[in-house]
Amino acid sequence: MTDLTQSLPRFRDIPKGWLASLVILGLLAIFDPGQVLPTLGFTAKALANTAPFIVFAVVAVAYIKASGAEAMLAQVFAGRTVPMIFLAALAGGMSPFCSCEVIPFIAGLLAVGAPLSAVMAFWLASPLMDPAMFAITAGAISWEFAALKALAAVGLGLLGGFATLAFANSIVFQNPLRAEGGAKKGCGCGPAPFSGRPVWKFWVERPRLETFRDTAVENGLFLLKWLTLAYILESLMLAYVPAESIATLLGGNGAGPVVIGALIGGPAYLNGYAAVPLVGELMNQGMAVGAAMSFIVAGGVSSIPAAVAVYPLVKTRVFVAYIAYGVIGAILAGFAANALL
């Protein structure tokens, strides 16, 4: 009996993305069996259409990791504060860090005394855009939307960086780290890449080649997992959610849909990559482009996974400022999208 029990698969061992997909398909098989095959067909077709962008994203991130190009990021945080903020926002918009992976890097920078204003600029911009995210967004929505989101990521970084610099001497930003070694805890994604020089021809070194392979496999499975869930949900939205309800709540070019998109972006956000096709389908059903932009920007910064990763590192007052920057920046990005797209 003991051996049988130990051999049974445990749900907690299944990655959450795959588990969610299996649960949804299981419920669909029980309550609407006729929708299972259309949902699987839609998901397979959508994944096939997105495949070139997935491949590009996987190869780009693996190359950055294997070559050690991340080591160049530490150089951004040396010099005068104002140029540092600009460079940090730009670097954040190109770095392959999610809201969790960026934590060890941020913790290390704060621990060695990097200015909080520059760190905040990088921190806010980094989860919103990277080469993989740009490719997925361009494929699932449009190149114009992806480009504007990239600009929004840099703009949000600049907003947070210069606002933090302006109030650097206030009580809000004094001694930002928590007392109990936030820099040591991080989120378990690995140490901050502070040292070393990039090796662009990484394939000449076996360890780097193995890093490329492992990173490509890990990110490929990561994207496949979350995009599968996203396309399953997109299929169900098409089948069950009336387009009129989306258009009524989040349609139009006024301020209301943009603000609502920013406010619900955090709680409703699943994952940066999973959100992209869902937002694309919401736009097809009537979601205003401004609301879509505010939703996707706010979600990247203030989603529950991002908030959980940030909160243990800094004091509550800094955390509140981080969330406020995210919401305000998302609303401004939404207004910009309405005006430009």
Side-chain angles (χ1 to χ4, degrees):
M1 179 64 71
T2 302
D3 292 340
L4 178 61
T5 302
Q6 292 178 348
S7 65
L8 292 174
R10 294 177 299 179
F11 281 113
R12 64 185 180 185
D13 294 334
I14 303 175
K16 293 179 181 178
W18 292 123
L19 181 58
S21 296
L22 291 173
V23 169
I24 291 172
L25 290 173
L27 292 174
L28 197 60
I30 294 172
F31 294 105
D32 192 359
Q35 186 60 35
V36 173
L37 288 180
T39 296
L40 292 174
F42 177 92
T43 302
K45 183 177 179 180
L47 286 172
N49 291 336
T50 316
F53 299 95
I54 296 175
V55 171
F56 171 80
V58 167
V59 172
V61 173
Y63 181 79
I64 290 172
K65 295 280 188 182
S67 65
E70 292 168 313
M72 299 171 62
L73 290 175
Q75 301 173 13
V76 169
F77 297 87
R80 292 180 298 173
T81 303
V82 171
M84 205 184 303
I85 292 173
F86 279 102
L87 289 174
L90 288 171
M94 296 183 290
S95 67
F97 292 137
C98 70
S99 55
C100 178
E101 290 173 327
V102 76
I103 297 300
F105 191 89
I106 294 300
L109 288 171
L110 292 175
V112 300
L116 180 60
S117 55
V119 173
M120 184 68 78
F122 182 86
W123 201 345
L124 288 165
S126 184
L128 293 178
M129 187 56 69
D130 57 52
M133 180 68 74
F134 188 93
I136 296 298
T137 304
I141 302 179
S142 71
W143 290 100
E144 294 82 2
F145 192 92
L148 187 56
K149 187 189 174 190
L151 291 175
V154 175
L156 179 57
L158 293 175
L159 170 68
F162 283 109
T164 301
L165 178 63
F167 297 98
N169 295 324
S170 69
I171 188 63
V172 175
F173 298 114
Q174 294 296 312
N175 302 315
L177 282 174
R178 290 187 181 272
E180 298 182 356
K184 296 180 181 179
K185 292 182 180 180
C187 67
C189 292
F194 285 113
S195 60
R197 299 179 64 182
V199 178
W200 303 113
K201 296 181 180 180
F202 68 88
W203 51 87
V204 301
E205 299 181 16
R206 184 177 181 82
R208 291 182 182 273
L209 191 59
E210 293 175 349
T211 297
F212 180 88
R213 179 199 63 200
D214 294 343
T215 302
V217 171
E218 180 182 355
N219 280 281
L221 291 174
F222 175 85
L223 290 173
L224 182 62
K225 171 180 64 179
W226 287 107
L227 289 175
T228 297
L229 174 60
Y231 289 131
I232 289 174
L233 293 174
E234 182 180 348
S235 174
L236 298 182
M237 286 171 51
L238 285 170
Y240 300 117
V241 178
E244 313 84 61
S245 61
I246 302 297
T248 300
L249 180 64
L250 295 169
N253 296 322
V258 172
V259 174
I260 293 174
L263 293 178
I264 67 174
Y269 209 72
L270 295 172
N271 168 275
Y273 297 99
V276 172
L278 292 180
V279 168
E281 183 52 42
L282 286 170
M283 291 174 67
N284 291 336
Q285 291 186 281
M287 186 181 195
V289 65
M293 183 64 72
S294 65
F295 176 90
I296 210 166
V297 170
V301 175
S302 61
S303 66
I304 293 174
V308 169
V310 170
Y311 188 76
L313 177 61
V314 295
K315 294 179 179 177
T316 302
R317 43 191 164 82
V318 180
F319 172 77
V320 171
Y322 169 85
I323 297 297
Y325 290 149
V327 174
I328 293 171
I331 292 173
L332 294 176
F335 288 145
N338 273 341
L340 298 175
L341 298 182

